[in-house]
Amino acid sequence: GRETRLRVVLRVRPLTRTETRRGDQRVVHSLSDSTVHRSATSSLGARHDATFGFSAVFDASASQEAVFEGSGMRQLVELAVDGFSCTVFAFGQTGSGKTYTLMGPLSQTEAQPAAPALLGLMQRSFSYLLEQSQSHSSDLALSASYLEIYNEQVRDLLSPGPPCALPLRWSKSRGFYVENQLCVDFESLEAIANLLLQVPLTAGSQRRRTSAHALNRHSSRSHALLTIHIRSQAGREKGCQSIPTHTQTWVPQPGACPSKQGTLCFVDLAGSERVKETGSSGELSVEANNINRSLLALGHCISLLAKPRGKRTHIPYRDSKLTRLLARSLGGSGITLMVACISPSSRCLSETLSTLHYASRACRVTTRP
Ligand code: ADP
Ligand code: MG
């Protein structure tokens, strides 16, 4: 029940080949392993400098492994096994490296997996989780659900067939939850990795809404939430009702043993860029407005949550689906890691600055795990 701050780390990706070719300047430099410096010269010749501090800063040379080890992700997995609700969310403009940080390069498929060194926080967490599950004295039962929020609709990425919107409800005991969400058990690394990749045919990351636009062809226009449910079934002996091994919708079973039930949720947020910069129009602009609206709601909640507890007013989680689903991670009993991703390029300066400010505010948010 102790107040715990959100852990916020920053990742600055390398300049891409396109950015280098077109001669973009690097305007973000890490000064130490926890501060980053941004410098820029305005059109009038005035210099603007700013330094920001975070729990950790990873620069262009940081490996995927360094990010896993240095971000506190390993501890987050351990806490989830211990029964806490843990969330990691990647935030930043399209093309800033959110998906790369979470999942590795986009080119990987089931047939052509990414090189082990390039695997992201998700796969590293899964393998650590399975390691824990094998070495743990008690049995861990692992299951996963995968949702996206697209145009303010919550959709199940694991259910076969065309995506349909699921209702988002609230109850006193469960807080906000998605009704009829599919939850599948898994026991191996391949099974869970395939859940993410296999899926051009059935579900998952390939089915997430993507559309080509000026900033990044793979730009994701939806928020994706992968949740791993971890049940440790310690003391399953006498008089205890067994927990079904394959539940479609996962609900704590009444009468089951007092077991630990933790979650580990990975959130890949849609790009934070402004509509005008992406040149979106028509249907795309409706999407972009929905994305901006939910990110704005998230930013608003974060600003209010960043105030000291005594001075907090009502937190408007109900303003968007995203904030409802993240309510527990942000303001309640969760433990949260935020990975802010930025590009070092001079062309992305205004978005980079907005991500840095957003992330700085998030540093002040506290929860009571
Ligand atoms: P986002 O999900 O934020 O839109 P991506 O993760 O798709 O951004 O990254 C955009 C591009 O930059 C991709 O081609 C990706 O492979 C590359 N990239 C991102 N971060 C890194 C990194 N740390 N090292 C090398 N390439 C990266
Ligand atoms: Mg992405």
Side-chain angles (χ1 to χ4, degrees):
R2 238 189 20 198
E3 254 182 72
T4 308
R5 274 173 193 269
L6 243 70
R7 191 175 158 82
V8 183
V9 303
L10 179 78
R11 188 175 204 189
V12 191
R13 68 154 166 74
L15 280 172
T16 60
R17 224 175 294 152
T18 321
E19 287 170 340
T20 314
R21 215 179 303 131
R22 103 190 146 193
D24 288 12
Q25 301 284 314
R26 273 187 55 176
V27 292
V28 182
H29 301 273
S30 62
L31 294 178
S32 70
D33 53 13
S34 63
T35 52
V36 71
H37 182 78
R38 178 214 51 113
S39 63
T41 310
S42 76
S43 51
L44 298 171
R47 279 190 56 83
H48 297 275
D49 290 53
T51 303
F52 297 82
F54 298 100
S55 295
V57 172
F58 303 98
D59 65 13
S61 64
S63 65
Q64 295 281 70
E65 189 189 358
V67 175
F68 179 75
E69 298 297 343
S71 61
M73 192 64 231
R74 190 182 281 279
Q75 291 86 331
L76 209 64
V77 175
E78 287 164 4
L79 288 162
V81 170
D82 240 0
F84 288 95
S85 306
C86 301
T87 307
V88 47
F89 66 96
F91 171 80
Q93 86 181 108
T94 298
S96 60
K98 299 181 294 295
T99 304
Y100 184 91
T101 299
L102 289 176
M103 295 171 71
L106 290 162
S107 54
Q108 57 190 312
T109 61
E110 219 182 325
Q112 245 188 331
L118 300 183
L119 294 174
L121 290 179
M122 280 180 165
Q123 296 98 330
R124 285 168 203 274
S125 303
F126 303 155
S127 56
Y128 185 50
L129 194 55
L130 289 158
E131 231 174 77
Q132 293 276 296
S133 151
Q134 275 144 24
S135 67
H136 225 252
S137 47
S138 62
D139 237 354
L140 293 187
L142 304 173
S143 57
S145 55
Y146 200 8
L147 299 171
E148 73 170 356
I149 305 174
Y150 172 69
N151 267 345
E152 277 303 281
Q153 287 190 336
V154 179
R155 297 159 157 199
D156 197 329
L157 289 171
L158 295 183
S159 73
C164 61
L166 297 179
L168 184 53
R169 306 214 187 278
W170 187 87
S171 84
K172 210 166 179 180
S173 57
R174 296 174 70 182
F176 291 107
Y177 67 96
V178 177
E179 198 171 71
N180 295 329
Q181 148 187 19
L182 212 68
C183 199
V184 296
D185 291 358
F186 69 93
E187 281 170 354
S188 71
L189 194 56
E190 290 80 54
I192 178 69
N194 286 349
L195 263 191
L196 294 176
L197 296 176
Q198 86 195 227
V199 259
L201 303 172
T202 49
S205 58
Q206 297 285 334
R207 226 181 64 178
R208 283 185 61 195
R209 284 278 162 163
T210 52
S211 62
H213 70 113
L215 270 178
N216 176 358
R217 277 191 333 114
H218 299 285
S219 145
S220 230
R221 314 302 292 163
S222 67
H223 309 293
L225 295 89
L226 177 88
T227 308
I228 310 288
H229 305 273
I230 306 158
R231 281 169 284 158
S232 77
Q233 304 171 321
R236 207 171 21 165
E237 328 83 326
K238 332 173 211 156
C240 281
Q241 191 178 315
S242 71
I243 297 168
T245 49
H246 196 103
T247 40
Q248 288 273 295
T249 308
W250 182 75
V251 223
Q253 299 296 307
C257 284
S259 56
K260 290 182 201 161
Q261 295 166 339
T263 54
L264 185 58
C265 182
F266 298 87
V267 186
D268 190 352
L269 292 174
S272 62
E273 61 279 351
R274 304 272 177 279
V275 185
K276 61 173 169 35
E277 281 164 30
T278 57
S280 304
S281 61
E283 191 193 343
L284 278 183
S285 118
V286 175
E287 285 181 358
N289 281 326
N290 274 320
I291 292 167
N292 286 345
R293 182 143 53 98
S294 57
L295 290 175
L296 213 64
L298 179 62
H300 190 206
C301 288
I302 288 180
S303 303
L304 293 172
L305 285 163
K307 292 184 180 167
R309 264 174 197 263
K311 293 193 177 144
R312 276 189 204 169
T313 45
H314 166 73
I315 314 287
Y317 293 116
R318 287 180 186 270
D319 280 2
S320 77
K321 297 264 161 70
L322 179 67
T323 42
R324 280 183 235 188
L325 283 176
L326 292 180
R328 178 151 56 161
S329 339
L330 289 172
S333 54
I335 302 176
T336 300
L337 167 67
M338 172 168 167
V339 186
C341 297
I342 57 173
S343 150
S345 157
S346 46
R347 294 221 185 184
C348 299
L349 196 60
S350 84
E351 264 309 320
T352 294
L353 205 55
S354 122
T355 303
L356 287 169
H357 284 300
Y358 207 101
S360 303
R361 274 199 300 275
C363 291
R364 297 201 299 271
V365 175
T366 59
T367 59
R368 285 180 194 272

